[in-house]
Amino acid sequence: METLSGVLDAFSSFDATLWAVLVVGVVAGLLVGVLPGLTFVMGVLLLLPLTYGMGAESGVALMLAVYVAGTYGGAITSILLHVPGEPNHVPLLWDGHTMARQGRAAEALGWAAVAALAGGLVSWLVLAFVSEPISRLALNLGQPEYFLVVLIGLTSVLVLTDDSVRRSLMALVVGMLIATVGVDDVYGSVRFSFGSDLLRDGIDYLPVMIGVYAVTHVLVRFGARFAADEEAQPTRVRTVVPGPGAIWRRRGSLTRGVTLGSLIGTVPGAGATVASFLAYGVERQVSRDRHTLGRGNPDGVIAPQAASTATVGGALVPMLVLGIPGSAATAVILGALLLHDVQPGPQIFQTQPELVYTIIAALLVSVLLMFVLGLLTAGPMVRLLRVPEAYVAVLIVLFAYIGAFAIRNTLSDVWIMAGFAVLGLLLERYGFPLAPLVLGAILGPLAERYLTTTLIASDNDPSVFLTRPLSAALLALWVGLVVLLSVRALRASRASRGGAPDHPGQTPGAEPGANPGTDPQHHEENTRA
C-alpha cells in the first residue's frame, strides 16, 4: 500500500513540463527504434547532455521514456519493411514480415502493439512491487554478497552470449582493465596513468559507451557505405488491435514472453535482444503451433516483443536497489543519476522516495503513451525511412561529441570517446563482441571495490565467502555458472576440432553492433548455437 500511495502522490505531482518530457521521450524512443542506424541505447546516450540542465526526476523520466518506446518502435519497420530498427526486432522478421507479405500486416502490427503493452505493464508491476522488498532484503547484504552478485553478473554475460566464449572473456577482461586506470577508490593510489593527467582522472564508462556504441556504429555503417536492403513502402499503414478473445487464446506465448523478459532483464548485460531471441527459441520448443512458426504465426511476434519490453522493469530493479545496471540503457540512466548526486542503493527508498515513486509513475505513463502514440504514428514513422542514413549519422556524431564533453566539461572525455570508437571498430573488425567490454568497464570497479573492502574487513581471510550463508549460496550459484560455461566452451572446442568453426558472431546483448540489414537466418543460427 505504501508503494501504491507513493505512486499516486507522484502522479498528482506531475506538472505540464514532466508530461511534455514524457511525450517527447516516447516519440524520440519510437524514432530511434524505427530509424536504422539508431538504437534505443544510443538514443538514451545521445539525450544524456540534455538532462544536465533538468532536475533528476525530469532527466530520468526522459531517458526512461526513450528506453521503453525504443523497445517497440523497430517492430513497425520489421513487420512492414523487413528492416529491424533494433536487433531485438530481428525475430519479428520471421513471422511478422511473413504475415505482412500474406496481407496480414495490420494484424501483425496489432499483436506487436498489444505484446509491447503487456510487457510494459508487467514490467511496471515488477518495478513497483518487487523493487522495495528487494531493497529491504538488500539492506541485509554485506560486501561479500555484493561482490558475488557483481561476479555473477559478469559471468552471466558470458553464459548468455552466443559469441565465442574465449573472445567474450577477452573483451570482458579488457573492459575491467580499462576501469582500473586512474585513482584507486579504496587506497587512493594512482594506477596506469603513465604520467598523463588525462589518464590520472580515470576513464568514466559513459565516454566509453558513447564511443563504442554510437561512434563505432557510425564508422561501421560508413565503411559499408550505409548500404541496406530496400523494400517498397506500403501506401497505407493500418493497425488492427486484437480483441480480448483473441488475446486470451494467445495467452500462452504472451505469458512466456513477459515472464522470460522480466527474468532476463535482471541479468546485467543481457538486455532486450537476448530476451527476444530466447523467447522466440522457447516458442519453437513449447508453442502449441510451433510447427507453423516462421510461416506467419502471431506467436512469433507476441513472445519476442513482449519479452523485449518486459526487460525494462527487470533491468531497473537492480539499478535502483543495488546500484548495478541490468542493461546498457540503465547503465546510462545510472550515470545520469550519479551526475545529479543521487546514489542508487538499498537506502534509496528511505533517502529519495519521491524520486523513486516518480520513476515508477513515469514508467507506467511511458508504457501507455508508447501504446497510443505507436498506433497513431505508425504511418508517419515508416515515412521517416526516406531520410538518408548519412544525415542521421552526422547527427549521431555531433551529439556524441557534445555528450562526451558535457559529462565533465573536459576534452579528456572527448579524446577517450574517440579512442574507444577506434577500439570498438577494431574489435568489430576482428569479431570481438562489444557488450562484454562495456560491461567490464561498468561492473569492474564495483567488483574491485567490494572485493577489496571485504578482504580488508576480514583481515584478508577468503573464507568469509563460505562462512556467511547467503554468501555461500551465491558462491555456489557462481560456481554452477562457471561449470556451465566450461562445458559449453569444451563442446565448442571439440566442435571446432571436428570442423565446425567457433564462429564469432554478434553478442545478443550488444544492441548497437547489430546491422539493420542483417540476415535473420544468420542470427537464428547464432542463437541456436
Side-chain angles (χ1 to χ4, degrees):
M1 287 303 294
E2 184 181 351
T3 299
L4 196 57
S5 62
V7 173
L8 291 175
D9 289 342
F11 276 126
S12 63
S13 68
F14 275 24
D15 56 17
T17 303
L18 192 53
W19 281 104
V21 163
L22 288 171
V23 171
V24 169
V26 169
V27 172
L30 292 171
L31 280 173
V32 298
V34 166
L35 291 173
L38 284 173
T39 66
F40 60 79
V41 177
M42 204 184 296
V44 174
L45 271 169
L46 297 180
L47 287 177
L48 180 62
L50 300 182
T51 66
Y52 296 157
M54 300 180 178
E57 291 87 354
S58 299
V60 173
L62 175 65
M63 302 171 89
L64 189 58
V66 174
Y67 181 18
V68 174
T71 63
Y72 164 64
I76 300 169
T77 51
S78 293
I79 291 170
L80 295 177
L81 303 175
H82 201 266
V83 177
E86 301 275 353
N88 57 300
H89 290 125
V90 170
L92 270 64
L93 297 175
W94 305 325
D95 285 279
H97 187 65
T98 302
M99 292 174 71
R101 295 177 71 90
Q102 294 170 349
R104 300 160 59 201
E107 179 189 351
L109 288 173
W111 279 118
V114 167
L117 177 65
L121 291 177
V122 171
S123 178
W124 178 77
L125 290 172
V126 169
L127 179 64
F129 298 104
V130 174
S131 54
E132 189 167 9
I134 291 181
S135 73
R136 285 197 293 269
L137 176 65
L139 288 173
N140 299 318
L141 301 181
Q143 299 296 304
E145 288 81 14
Y146 273 107
F147 168 70
L148 289 168
V149 168
V150 174
L151 193 61
I152 289 170
L154 287 167
T155 309
S156 62
V157 75
L158 302 177
V159 174
L160 290 174
T161 183
D162 57 359
D163 289 280
S164 160
V165 173
R166 177 171 50 86
R167 290 171 185 267
S168 299
L169 181 60
M170 291 172 67
L172 184 68
V173 171
V174 169
M176 295 176 69
L177 288 175
I178 288 167
T180 63
V181 175
V183 179
D184 175 21
D185 285 345
V186 178
Y187 294 106
S189 57
V190 180
R191 302 176 301 189
F192 309 118
S193 69
F194 303 103
S196 167
D197 291 338
L198 186 152
L199 296 178
R200 180 188 174 86
D201 294 337
I203 298 178
D204 192 280
Y205 71 83
L206 288 174
V208 174
M209 291 184 70
I210 295 173
V212 169
Y213 278 161
V215 184
T216 292
H217 183 76
V218 170
L219 293 174
V220 171
R221 295 295 299 148
F222 177 76
R225 300 289 189 271
F226 301 110
D229 296 335
E230 293 187 1
E231 186 152 329
Q233 291 194 3
T235 55
R236 184 183 175 209
V237 177
R238 195 167 64 92
T239 302
V240 175
V241 178
I247 295 174
W248 177 252
R249 286 192 291 275
R250 299 286 176 185
R251 64 186 181 282
S253 57
L254 201 56
T255 304
R256 288 188 288 271
V258 295
T259 304
L260 194 58
S262 299
L263 293 174
I264 292 295
T266 61
V267 179
T273 306
V274 172
S276 176
F277 277 92
L278 284 181
Y280 192 86
V282 168
E283 289 307 302
R284 292 184 69 92
Q285 300 299 321
V286 305
S287 173
R288 186 174 52 187
D289 302 324
R290 56 184 177 276
H291 59 283
T292 62
L293 277 173
R295 303 175 190 169
N297 186 337
D299 287 348
V301 176
I302 296 168
Q305 181 57 62
S308 294
T309 309
T311 56
V312 176
L316 285 170
V317 171
M319 189 274 287
L320 275 179
V321 304
L322 298 176
I324 300 172
S327 66
T330 52
V332 186
I333 296 174
L334 174 63
L337 287 172
L338 294 176
L339 289 171
H340 283 88
D341 296 325
V342 177
Q343 178 62 59
Q347 302 281 359
I348 196 168
F349 276 91
Q350 284 75 45
T351 59
Q352 303 274 350
E354 295 84 7
L355 174 63
V356 174
Y357 293 131
T358 299
I359 291 174
I360 295 173
L363 175 60
L364 180 59
V365 173
S366 299
V367 169
L368 298 176
L369 284 174
M370 171 194 70
F371 179 71
V372 175
L373 293 178
L375 294 179
L376 295 176
T377 62
M381 290 287 176
V382 171
R383 303 290 183 270
L384 286 174
L385 288 182
R386 294 172 180 168
V387 177
E389 190 180 348
Y391 295 167
V392 178
V394 171
L395 289 177
I396 292 173
V397 173
L398 178 63
F399 274 92
Y401 273 83
I402 293 173
F405 178 78
I407 291 171
R408 293 186 288 190
N409 289 324
T410 170
L411 281 174
S412 300
D413 288 331
V414 176
W415 288 113
I416 290 171
M417 178 209 66
F420 277 93
V422 175
L423 176 63
L425 184 65
L426 293 174
L427 292 175
E428 282 266 333
R429 171 68 180 81
Y430 293 102
F432 286 86
L434 301 181
L437 171 79
V438 175
L439 191 71
I442 295 171
L443 296 186
L446 294 177
E448 182 188 12
R449 186 187 313 151
Y450 293 140
L451 178 62
T452 304
T453 52
T454 297
L455 293 178
I456 290 174
S458 64
D459 198 19
N460 290 325
D461 181 8
S463 66
V464 67
F465 294 109
L466 296 171
T467 54
R468 299 166 63 99
L470 185 54
S471 174
L474 291 170
L475 184 62
L477 176 60
W478 177 73
V479 171
L481 288 175
V482 171
V483 170
L484 179 64
L485 198 60
S486 302
V487 171
R488 180 181 150 190
L490 186 61
R491 287 179 177 173
S493 176
R494 287 177 178 171
S496 179
R497 286 199 298 269
D502 183 13
H503 180 71
Q506 175 65 38
T507 300
E511 286 92 343
N515 188 332
T518 302
D519 177 11
Q521 185 63 30
H522 173 73
H523 278 272
E524 185 178 26
E525 289 169 355
N526 276 351
T527 305
R528 288 172 180 166

